[in-house]
Amino acid sequence: SNADPLTMIKVASPAPVRLPGILGYLGPFQYTLFVARLERDRNDFEKPYLDGIRLNFKPSHYLELGLEKIVMLGGRNRPLSSNQWLRSFIGSNAHPASTADYTNSEAGGDIKLTLPLKVQPMQFYWQCDGEDGRQKWGINKFGLPFKYAHVVGLYLPRILGLQEVGF
């Protein structure tokens, strides 16, 4: 009952790089871009494309930042042009000739803060992602996400100095 693997093109940085100029303050930078074709037997549209981007920054040894966006577009009877690809990437989802929406996207980011305490090291994690910005009023006229979902967590790599417990 597992999902079928996706046929995709993926481009990723093999190792972190430093950005030039003032962007260098964001620390080591990594990226991942992909485009995949989804399956034919779907309940919505046959064989749409799925594209995504993930950017990671590490401005300090203790802080990591991530941004991501994923978009589903095209498919049977849905227009797909180079302009539509560009519009989906920048967050302008509605087809220019109508009020119909031919894409579905989600975007967000995450923050991970590491506290390397001797007795109890810990990592705090917060992820926030939102639905595509189809609303055309207020701040969403720029295509920013809304209807946010949040995930907050605390990771304890070892409990009070115990790394492994054998039985």
Short mmCIF file of all heavy atoms in Angstrom, two decimals, residues 17 48 92 94 167:
data_model
loop_
_atom_site.label_atom_id
_atom_site.label_comp_id
_atom_site.label_asym_id
_atom_site.label_seq_id
_atom_site.Cartn_x
_atom_site.Cartn_y
_atom_site.Cartn_z
N VAL A 17 27.56 26.07 0.98
CA VAL A 17 28.39 27.11 0.38
C VAL A 17 28.13 28.44 1.09
O VAL A 17 27.10 28.62 1.72
CB VAL A 17 28.11 27.27 -1.14
CG1 VAL A 17 28.47 26.01 -1.89
CG2 VAL A 17 26.67 27.65 -1.38
N PRO A 48 -0.47 15.62 -13.01
CA PRO A 48 0.03 16.98 -12.79
C PRO A 48 1.52 16.95 -12.43
O PRO A 48 2.08 15.88 -12.16
CB PRO A 48 -0.79 17.47 -11.59
CG PRO A 48 -1.08 16.23 -10.83
CD PRO A 48 -1.25 15.14 -11.87
N SER A 92 2.01 33.71 -7.49
CA SER A 92 0.83 34.27 -8.15
C SER A 92 0.12 33.13 -8.84
O SER A 92 0.44 32.76 -9.96
CB SER A 92 1.27 35.34 -9.15
OG SER A 92 0.15 35.85 -9.81
N ALA A 94 -3.35 32.34 -9.61
CA ALA A 94 -4.50 32.34 -10.51
C ALA A 94 -4.06 32.55 -11.95
O ALA A 94 -3.15 33.31 -12.23
CB ALA A 94 -5.47 33.45 -10.10
N PHE A 167 19.59 -3.44 27.13
CA PHE A 167 18.84 -4.42 27.91
C PHE A 167 19.31 -5.80 27.56
O PHE A 167 19.66 -6.13 26.49
CB PHE A 167 17.33 -4.31 27.64
CG PHE A 167 16.74 -3.05 28.14
CD1 PHE A 167 16.55 -1.94 27.32
CD2 PHE A 167 16.36 -2.95 29.48
CE1 PHE A 167 15.99 -0.79 27.79
CE2 PHE A 167 15.79 -1.78 29.96
CZ PHE A 167 15.60 -0.70 29.09
#
